[in-house]
Amino acid sequence: MRFRFRAWEGESPEERFRRLLPLFEMLLLRSGGDVDTALDWLERVAERYGWFDEAYGIDDFRRDLERDGRVRLEGGTLVPTGKTERAMRERALERIFSGAGADPDGEHASRLEGGRGEPGDLVRDWRPGESLEDVAWTESFRRALARDPEGGLLGLREQDLEVREREREVSCATVLLVDVSHSMILYGEDRMSPAREVALALFELIQRRFRRDTLDLVLFGDEARRVPLDRSPYIQAGPFHTNTKAGLRMAQDILRGRRHANRRVFMITDGKPSAIERDGRIYKNPFGLDEEVVNRTLDEAVACRRAGIEVTTFMVARDPLLVEFVEEFSRLNRGRAYFTGTGGLGEAVFVDYLRHRRGRA
C-alpha cells in the first residue's frame, strides 16, 4: 500500500464558513433574530478560540452569509432570509429530538393522518366487512373452544372472531402560549430562547410530518396577541406583567374554530398571573397572588375543560407562587403541569405532543 503526502493547506474559506454557520444560527436564535448582535457575539467567541485569522475574518463570514442567501440588506440592516429561518427550524427540531432520544422523521409510521399504528392491548368483536388482518387469532380460538370444546379449529365461527385494536394517530390543534413578561429575561437566565426553539421545532415538525395538524402561537404579557409562526425567531419579552387570562381566552377563541380530534394548549410561563383586563383597562398587581387576578384566571381553566381543551403547563421557574397557582389551575382543568427549567423544555413539550396524538383505531 502506498501513501502520497503533501503539505497541509489548512481549512478553505468554504469549509470555515460551513463550520461556523450552525453556531451563527444558534446565536441568531438567542438574539431574537438580530443579525448584527449575533455577528458581534460570534466575533467575540471566535477571537477567544482563534477561529478567525488574516485569511478569514468576520467581514468575510458576513459577505459569505449574503453571498449564500442567508441574510439580506433591508433598510440598511441585515436581516435573516427564509433560507436561514428554515435552517433554524430544522436545527431546532434536530436538537430537541436528539435530546429526547428520538428521530424526527421516524416517530410515526405514516405521513397520512389517521395512520394504522401499532396493535394495542384491547380486543373487541370483529365487525362484518372488516379486514381479517387485525384478527386476534389466539383470543378468537379461545372463544370458539369455550363455546364448543369438541369443535377444534374447524369450529371457529364469525361470532367468535375478535380483533386487536390499533393505536392510530389523531389530528391535533395546538396553541402554543408563551409568556413574554419581563421576568422571562431577568435574573441572568434567558428563558425566551428555549421558548423560541420550541415554537420553531413544533412548526417544522408539523410541516414535515403532520400537515393536517394546526399550530398557533400566542404571546401574553399585559395583553395577548397572536403571532404568525414565521415570526417565531423574533419573539421578545418586554416590560410586561403576566396576563395569563388573556392568553387563555385567545387560545380558546382560536381552538373554538378547529374541528380536530384533539384541541390543546401548551403554556410556557415563569411567573404567576399578575394582570387582567378590568373596565377596559389593564389591572396589574405584581405582589403575591392577587385574589381577583387568580380567580378570574382560574375561571379560564374551567372554561377550557368544559370546551374539551386540555392545558399543559411548562414552568421554567420554581417560583413557589407559580407552583401554587399551576397546581390549582391543573386540578380545575384536569390538565398536566411540568417543571422543566429551561434545559429540558423542548424535550418535555415534544414528548407530550407526540404522546397525545394517539387514539384508538
Side-chain angles (χ1 to χ4, degrees):
M1 181 180 295
R2 291 187 176 183
F3 296 92
R4 178 174 296 177
F5 296 92
R6 60 185 174 84
W8 170 248
E9 296 177 355
E11 196 174 40
S12 70
E14 293 79 10
E15 291 169 332
R16 187 95 55 104
F17 173 69
R18 296 298 171 189
R19 182 165 61 84
L20 292 172
L21 193 56
L23 176 58
F24 168 73
E25 290 169 353
M26 184 188 73
L27 295 174
L28 190 61
L29 177 68
R30 292 191 174 276
S31 71
D34 187 319
V35 173
D36 288 334
T37 298
L39 286 171
D40 181 56
W41 290 346
L42 178 62
E43 185 175 21
R44 294 183 191 180
V45 174
E47 285 178 357
R48 179 176 180 181
Y49 293 100
W51 293 341
F52 288 145
D53 51 33
E54 293 182 0
Y56 193 86
I58 190 65
D59 291 333
D60 300 298
F61 182 77
R62 183 185 290 106
R63 281 194 295 270
D64 284 344
L65 285 174
E66 294 187 74
R67 188 179 298 116
D68 199 46
R70 302 280 176 168
V71 300
R72 69 176 185 276
L73 201 60
E74 187 176 283
T77 303
L78 287 175
V79 298
T81 63
K83 183 176 183 178
T84 294
E85 291 170 351
R86 286 192 299 274
M88 292 172 69
R89 293 198 303 267
E90 291 167 359
R91 291 192 196 279
L93 183 61
E94 289 165 4
R95 278 195 298 269
I96 287 176
F97 266 94
S98 64
D103 176 2
D105 285 320
E107 185 69 25
H108 298 272
S110 172
R111 290 183 181 273
L112 300 177
E113 179 189 14
R116 289 177 57 78
E118 296 297 323
D121 297 325
L122 300 180
V123 294
R124 58 168 173 78
D125 291 343
W126 177 81
R127 302 183 187 116
E130 287 187 314
S131 169
L132 296 179
E133 182 180 348
D134 293 328
V135 169
W137 294 108
T138 300
E139 289 80 358
S140 300
F141 287 135
R142 187 180 295 124
R143 178 186 278 189
L145 290 172
R147 176 180 49 77
D148 182 8
E150 303 299 327
L153 298 183
L154 297 179
L156 188 67
R157 299 178 182 175
E158 180 179 305
Q159 61 266 33
D160 298 325
L161 296 179
E162 293 186 329
V163 297
R164 188 170 299 281
E165 288 190 331
R166 286 182 176 266
E167 298 286 345
R168 64 180 174 87
E169 294 168 358
V170 293
S171 64
C172 189
T174 302
V175 172
L176 180 61
L177 202 56
V178 178
D179 183 350
V180 291
S181 62
H182 201 196
S183 59
M184 291 286 282
I185 53 172
L186 289 179
Y187 316 119
E189 185 170 13
D190 175 16
R191 295 164 179 162
M192 286 305 302
S193 293
R196 291 186 200 106
E197 186 169 57
V198 167
L200 286 167
L202 272 177
F203 184 20
E204 178 66 16
L205 177 69
I206 288 172
Q207 284 200 321
R208 186 186 297 189
R209 299 292 299 161
F210 308 121
R211 300 299 288 268
R212 298 187 66 180
D213 283 9
T214 63
L215 176 67
D216 293 275
L217 177 59
V218 172
L219 312 180
F220 65 101
D222 289 350
E223 301 173 311
R225 60 189 177 96
R226 189 175 179 180
V227 177
L229 285 169
D230 61 7
R231 304 307 297 169
S232 300
Y234 312 104
I235 61 176
Q236 301 277 7
F240 308 127
H241 292 71
T242 310
N243 193 340
T244 311
K245 175 182 172 63
L248 291 163
R249 173 54 55 186
M250 181 168 288
Q252 290 173 73
D253 290 342
I254 292 170
L255 292 174
R256 193 175 294 117
R258 307 296 190 203
R259 294 294 178 263
H260 296 68
N262 287 337
R263 294 178 301 155
R264 50 207 320 253
V265 173
F266 287 154
M267 180 165 65
I268 299 172
T269 185
D270 76 334
K272 60 182 174 52
S274 60
I276 54 172
E277 184 177 348
R278 187 173 68 180
D279 300 326
R281 302 177 65 183
I282 303 299
Y283 166 70
K284 308 168 186 176
N285 184 357
F287 304 105
L289 286 174
D290 184 290
E291 185 175 355
E292 181 183 2
V293 173
V294 169
N295 287 339
R296 290 184 60 184
T297 306
L298 291 176
D299 287 344
E300 301 303 330
V302 177
C304 286
R305 187 193 73 213
R306 289 174 176 168
I309 298 169
E310 182 181 282
V311 181
T312 302
T313 306
F314 299 91
M315 296 176 284
V316 291
R318 278 196 184 276
D319 178 353
L321 295 179
L322 171 63
V323 173
E324 179 183 342
F325 164 75
V326 169
E327 286 178 348
E328 180 64 9
F329 182 94
S330 300
R331 185 186 68 80
L332 292 173
N333 177 253
R334 297 176 188 164
R336 281 176 303 284
Y338 302 96
F339 171 75
T340 64
T342 54
L345 175 63
E347 290 87 343
V349 170
F350 272 67
V351 166
D352 203 80
Y353 180 80
L354 294 171
R355 179 188 299 139
H356 292 89
R357 291 193 77 261
R358 294 203 176 268
R360 291 288 174 187

